[in-house]
Amino acid sequence: MPLPFASALLPLALLAPALAPVSVIEADFDPASAFVPPAAISYAEDLVPYGSHATVVTDRSTPGRTVLTLTVTGLAPGHEFPAHLHTGTCGAAPASSGPHYQNVVDPVQPSTDPAYANDRNELRLVLRTDDQGDGSATAEVDWQARPGQARSLVLHAGTPAGPHAAADRVGCIKLD
């Protein structure tokens, strides 16, 4: 007896799964020079020590909405890290992650126009760590990133930043 047409196509559907409504990425921060390319890179071991851990949960289960939660352990204690989606992937150089991901892209780069560079057009969160270096932060936006274009979540030095400028990229987590 021949298989129904729909069952014959099932293996093809498994080759190209749809974007999951909820994704979870877990990674330990390592140097960019690690033997195996790391899923999370530390560019400042004093703020993001090697071996510290990050979990990123991205919830796209509601159409037209994204909720992203970042949870960390082992980062610099009592510190505030601004974090943003970026368009590039994590690489050996902090700048590899490219500019901030914007739902509506500013035609002038780097983007400084408040009409584009704002918390409605960019997914931004502020991660605050406790005395142990653990913390969690959540951000919600009324849009979903274009597939393949929000490729990393970058932690910036923030304040107090010690030897680092507030905007320095101190950690990067690959999202794709």
Side-chain angles (χ1 to χ4, degrees):
M1 176 172 181
L3 291 173
F5 183 70
S7 0
L9 293 178
L10 180 60
L12 293 175
L14 296 175
L15 293 175
L19 189 60
V22 177
S23 64
V24 178
I25 295 171
E26 297 223 27
D28 291 332
F29 287 95
D30 284 313
S33 61
F35 180 71
V36 174
I41 295 175
S42 170
Y43 301 114
E45 192 178 8
D46 58 325
L47 296 176
V48 183
Y50 301 148
S52 55
H53 185 79
T55 301
V56 179
V57 178
T58 307
D59 182 348
R60 300 175 208 83
S61 60
T62 302
R65 189 177 114 206
T66 302
V67 179
L68 185 138
T69 300
L70 170 64
T71 304
V72 299
T73 58
L75 270 58
H79 195 82
E80 187 174 281
F81 297 89
H84 310 90
L85 286 180
H86 279 246
T87 61
T89 191
C90 305
S96 299
S97 60
H100 291 179
Y101 176 89
Q102 294 179 322
N103 186 44
V104 177
V105 180
D106 185 343
V108 177
Q109 294 292 322
S111 180
T112 57
D113 183 342
Y116 296 94
N118 62 62
D119 60 358
R120 293 172 315 285
N121 196 42
E122 299 178 352
L123 191 144
R124 302 174 173 187
L125 43 87
V126 177
L127 174 73
R128 292 175 181 85
T129 57
D130 63 16
D131 292 343
Q132 306 302 311
D134 303 341
S136 185
T138 299
E140 180 179 332
V141 290
D142 291 330
W143 44 266
Q144 292 183 353
R146 293 173 294 282
Q149 292 188 23
R151 302 180 66 204
S152 60
L153 181 66
V154 173
L155 280 69
H156 294 272
T159 53
H164 307 283
D168 283 357
R169 298 170 192 204
V170 296
C172 185
I173 305 160
K174 292 181 182 179
L175 299 179
D176 60 356

